[in-house]
Amino acid sequence: MTAYNNVTIEKKGTVALVRFDRKGARNAFNQQTILELTDVARRFQDDLETQAVVLTGTREAFSGGIDLKERATRAVTAGTDLELRQTYYRGVRLCQAWEDMPQITVAAIEGMAVGAGVALPLALDWRVMGKGAFLYVPEVKIGINLQWGALPRLITLVGPARAKRICILCERMGAEHALDWGLVDEIAEDGHVVEKAMELASAAASMPAPAVRMVKEAVNATANALHKVSAYADADQSQLSTNFRTAQEESDKFVKGKK
């Protein structure tokens, strides 16, 4: 098994628990974490023993979103234009890798899930959320678009009007609200979210595996048929919008406000 810096994998029979933890920074996604989680998802592709996978962050935060400080240095550190574009598309590939996994996948969300921390769970099959947790999509507030392929997934789950409200008004959404709108599938007591997610995963893993995988593939093929068409350039749009004056100004305010 590959050793990762920010990701651990624990196998419990036919169910795997994947946990990512940056040991601080509100568990924000830096490039290393994105690459590690992508590699994990791809390794499960040929795993015939594991039938369900739970993904979680920490009890304090599933994820505070993308690491804005690291993002601000991309143009300087990336090198060529092609390398910079490759960096912007890593989040897209991360979510696609998790969506394409043949196993049933369950996100266990504690604390906060912000921006990219919402985008990744949307690529999974089911989501379990702690009673005291919240979802927050602040991209428009800081002058950029929602990417990582998240927007079409969000529209599929909640419909166009609610997707617009979530993205444009940037309102924090509690667990009951998220459940009512269909963004999450279960609510659990804080501190017991992983347990509930493991129960769901175990129930799925107890079913005949070939049939489960076929149904998942069929549902995804139907529900996600137009997703790539509508979001194929969202990382390019993100790179473009990051250079807007409004985005630079609002992003600076957002970072300072989190300190």
Side-chain angles (χ1 to χ4, degrees):
M1 181 67 70
T2 302
Y4 300 106
N5 290 315
N6 298 332
V7 179
T8 58
I9 303 171
E10 181 182 353
K11 293 285 189 71
K12 297 183 178 181
T14 57
V15 179
L17 174 61
V18 177
R19 188 185 301 274
F20 64 100
D21 183 0
R22 283 194 61 195
K23 308 295 190 299
R26 292 184 173 89
N27 214 27
F29 290 104
N30 62 355
Q31 294 303 305
Q32 182 180 47
T33 304
I34 291 171
L35 291 173
E36 289 181 3
L37 284 172
T38 303
D39 186 68
V40 167
R42 289 172 177 168
R43 286 177 179 273
F44 276 116
Q45 278 286 344
D46 296 320
D47 186 338
L48 300 182
E49 295 180 358
T50 303
Q51 304 307 331
V53 180
V54 172
L55 174 66
T56 193
T58 69
R59 286 195 174 187
E60 293 71 34
F62 179 82
S63 176
I66 198 70
D67 189 325
L68 292 177
K69 292 181 180 179
E70 185 183 74
R71 191 193 71 173
T73 66
R74 284 182 188 176
V76 176
T77 60
T80 67
D81 288 341
L82 194 58
E83 288 169 335
L84 181 60
R85 188 172 189 264
Q86 175 89 349
T87 299
Y88 268 91
Y89 268 94
R90 283 174 179 167
V92 176
R93 295 188 181 96
L94 164 64
C95 292
Q96 194 62 55
W98 276 84
E99 186 172 82
D100 290 343
M101 284 169 55
Q103 296 84 3
I104 291 296
T105 54
V106 187
I109 302 169
E110 296 254 32
M112 68 176 74
V114 179
V118 177
L120 180 54
L122 292 179
L124 274 61
D125 298 310
W126 299 323
R127 289 151 292 281
V128 180
M129 190 171 173
K131 277 188 175 181
F134 68 87
L135 308 178
Y136 181 36
V137 181
E139 273 76 359
V140 167
K141 188 173 184 178
I142 59 175
I144 62 175
N145 66 310
L146 179 63
Q147 59 141 321
W148 286 24
L151 192 55
R153 294 185 181 108
L154 182 63
I155 294 168
T156 296
L157 286 174
V158 305
R162 286 176 170 176
K164 290 172 189 173
R165 179 162 180 167
I166 290 168
C167 294
I168 294 173
L169 297 188
C170 305
E171 300 168 326
R172 292 192 180 192
M173 181 179 290
E176 292 291 345
H177 191 175
L179 180 66
D180 180 56
W181 278 20
L183 273 176
V184 300
D185 304 280
E186 296 279 354
I187 296 175
E189 294 292 335
D190 295 334
H192 297 278
V193 179
V194 171
E195 290 177 33
K196 185 62 179 178
M198 291 293 287
E199 287 177 15
L200 269 177
S202 296
S206 70
M207 299 295 179
V212 170
R213 294 188 179 204
M214 284 189 288
V215 168
K216 171 174 174 169
E217 289 171 12
V219 170
N220 281 359
T222 303
N224 306 346
L226 296 177
H227 284 188
K228 289 184 180 179
V229 173
S230 60
Y232 76 95
D234 70 358
D236 292 313
Q237 293 170 3
S238 183
Q239 183 177 347
L240 172 65
S241 60
T242 297
N243 293 318
F244 293 161
R245 284 192 296 271
T246 52
Q248 293 171 355
E249 292 167 0
E250 296 303 322
S251 182
D252 288 342
K253 291 178 187 176
F254 190 79
V255 171
K256 292 175 182 176
K258 291 173 69 174
K259 290 181 180 178

